[in-house]
Amino acid sequence: MRCNRRLISKLRLRRFVTRSMLVRGVFLGGLLLGSLAQAEGGQPQQQTIRVQGRSDAIVTDGSIRFGDIAHIDSPNMVDDQAVIQLKKVVVGTSPKAGEVVVLDGAEVLKKLQTEGVRLQSLRYSLPRQISVTRAYREVRQDELQRALSAYISKSSRQF
């Protein structure tokens, strides 16, 4: 039974990784094709996607995504998919609950470039340093005691 669960979880992980790589490839390919079409047309490239960085952000996840640290939008509906994908780009690892990590704005831009984002197609403004805090909630002792006693009474009924 244990081997089957491990095998199933490995297969799910492979399927997820494959899907995310496919989505990233389609997104980056779309950005490249759009920029090539504009370059061939001889028209100056429009910077329709706007990015306004935040100096402070709070995350609830294990990863810091670009959408967590910046407000990203575009007045054109054509850019909606690009905006959504841009918000999903992982730019760092979040700290432990309640702790703070400081990201360098220039490093965030480098990370975007390594992910295939053409910075020339964005109108962006990022602060030099971005403080990211991992969300947390302190648990009072009486809450912990109630949860523990409820768990113990539920567990003892099963045996």
Side-chain angles (χ1 to χ4, degrees):
M1 185 80 170
R2 221 172 235 204
C3 290
N4 289 339
R5 286 183 182 170
R6 286 183 185 163
L7 180 61
I8 290 171
S9 65
K10 284 182 182 179
L11 289 174
R12 285 183 183 157
L13 179 63
R14 282 188 190 148
R15 194 175 330 147
F16 172 75
V17 169
T18 305
R19 282 184 190 159
S20 65
M21 290 171 68
L22 179 65
V23 168
R24 180 180 291 159
V26 169
F27 166 66
L28 298 178
L31 280 180
L32 291 174
L33 285 176
S35 62
L36 285 175
Q38 287 179 348
E40 287 177 2
Q43 299 173 353
Q45 188 172 3
Q46 296 286 329
Q47 296 176 327
T48 57
I49 299 177
R50 298 176 299 221
V51 177
Q52 180 64 45
R54 301 179 181 109
S55 57
D56 297 308
I58 297 175
V59 296
T60 58
D61 227 359
S63 300
I64 302 170
R65 291 177 176 67
F66 194 48
D68 296 330
I69 62 170
H71 177 73
I72 306 165
D73 70 345
S74 174
N76 300 335
M77 286 179 35
V78 176
D79 296 329
D80 285 351
Q81 276 304 108
V83 168
I84 290 168
Q85 293 300 320
L86 197 55
K87 288 180 179 183
K88 292 180 182 180
V89 174
V90 176
V91 294
T93 305
S94 69
K96 293 179 182 177
E99 294 184 4
V100 178
V101 67
V102 178
L103 298 177
D104 184 52
E107 291 297 319
V108 171
L109 293 175
K110 285 181 186 175
K111 178 67 176 170
L112 290 173
Q113 284 180 318
T114 60
E115 291 293 323
V117 176
R118 295 187 71 248
L119 296 179
Q120 299 86 349
S121 65
L122 305 176
R123 184 181 317 154
Y124 63 89
S125 172
L126 292 178
R128 289 178 191 248
Q129 294 187 329
I130 304 162
S131 298
V132 181
T133 306
R134 177 82 176 257
Y136 72 100
R137 179 175 97 75
E138 289 187 20
V139 180
R140 296 189 319 258
Q141 186 174 356
D142 62 326
E143 289 179 274
L144 190 57
Q145 286 175 340
R146 276 192 306 235
L148 190 57
S149 63
Y151 175 76
I152 290 171
S153 66
K154 183 179 175 183
S155 307
S156 62
R157 281 187 246 155
Q158 291 178 354
F159 293 112

